[in-house]
Amino acid sequence: MKVLGINTSPRENSNVRFALEAALEASAEKGAETEIIDVNPLTISPCQADNYCKANNSECGLNDDMADIYKKIEEADGIILASPIYFFDVTAQAKAVIDRLYCYFGNEEFAKLFSTKKVSIITTNGGAPLEAFESSLNTQMQAFGALGFQTGDIIALGGNMLPGEIQEKEDQLEKAKEVGKNII
């Protein structure tokens, strides 16, 4: 079993990356092979809506770092998307990855492949209550569901404004570990 973590925080020592590491550690303890992709240093262009993918069996017409992420998603058994909440939603880096998954939309072959894979979302934020951005997270998860993925956990770990602050919050890291256990 392979579990792919997709870290979409632009910040070094980000709280959401620490939470993702805890989740993947729990997956590894259950026997999974794990990997983290840090999206921020990669070149991922926005979807161009040219529908090249629709005429080419879901192959995206853009030639950038997303090509490697596509391959890793196709090979993974579970995916954990990790994003801090910036202004009531996931980061622009997370949204770019999600938008580029449009190439799979409507492809029955990939829907069948994805039907055996589970996706979960881990978020961190400075202090807003979950209700402030819960609908946004549900929308992002629905995008994965529309592609055929099994939808898993969505957790929001609040009160984490400063870099690395979550490392002192064992209760929150335990919640992240539960995500890692549940993705298996």
Side-chain angles (χ1 to χ4, degrees), residues 7 16 18 24 32 44 48 72 76 87 101 111 133 135 147 166 176:
N7 172 35
V16 82
F18 287 121
L24 294 179
I44 299 176
Q48 298 301 296
K72 291 177 186 294
F87 205 62
L101 296 179
F133 49 84
S135 63
L147 297 174
I166 198 169

Side-chain angles (χ1 to χ4, degrees), residues 14-111:
S14 76
N15 292 300
V16 82
R17 191 174 201 290
F18 287 121
L20 179 59
E21 289 171 355
L24 294 179
E25 178 183 307
S27 294
E29 287 172 2
K30 290 187 79 172
E33 177 185 328
T34 65
E35 178 181 2
I36 294 179
I37 295 173
D38 292 303
V39 171
N40 193 56
L42 303 178
T43 300
I44 299 176
S45 298
C47 178
Q48 298 301 296
D50 58 6
N51 282 325
Y52 177 92
C53 56
K54 301 307 171 204
N56 291 282
N57 195 37
S58 294
E59 179 186 331
C60 182
L62 296 173
N63 185 17
D64 62 13
D65 292 327
M66 191 65 194
D68 188 44
I69 295 175
Y70 289 136
K71 182 179 177 188
K72 291 177 186 294
I73 287 172
E74 291 168 19
E75 294 172 350
D77 300 296
I79 299 158
I80 302 174
L81 179 74
S83 178
I85 299 297
Y86 289 169
F87 205 62
F88 301 97
D89 206 348
V90 295
T91 60
Q93 293 86 337
K95 194 64 174 95
V97 169
I98 293 166
D99 284 353
R100 290 285 298 278
L101 296 179
Y102 169 73
C103 68
Y104 294 123
F105 187 69
N107 184 313
E108 291 183 26
E109 179 184 333
F110 281 107

